[in-house]
Amino acid sequence: MNDKLKRTKVNDRKKLVEKSCLTCEFNFASVCAGYGTRTDNGENTYGMPMKKAKEMFPQGCEDYGISLEAFIEQE
């Protein structure tokens, strides 16, 4: 089996981290530091309480970026 095919088979088994506020690089514990648009009032998500962000964006917002911890877990 060639190297490229081996790598592909390994990558197919890789479990991807779920995209959410919990795995986002902009989760600053108590506030969201990402730039997205809130669904309740159309304002920016930056600085909104993380509890509200988790409720509003269960699959992450448009500014989602994987956190270092989640990336390490995934890899």
Side-chain angles (χ1 to χ4, degrees), residues 20-67:
S20 71
C21 292
L22 295 173
T23 61
C24 183
E25 66 180 323
F26 300 114
N27 179 340
F28 281 45
S30 61
V31 297
C32 174
Y35 286 94
T37 304
R38 294 176 61 143
T39 58
D40 60 349
N41 60 14
E43 293 181 9
N44 202 299
T45 57
Y46 182 84
M48 74 185 288
M50 188 49 65
K51 181 178 179 182
K52 184 74 173 172
K54 289 177 194 174
E55 293 169 4
M56 195 175 295
F57 303 104
Q59 279 81 44
C61 75
E62 61 209 44
D63 199 29
Y64 175 84
I66 192 168
S67 69

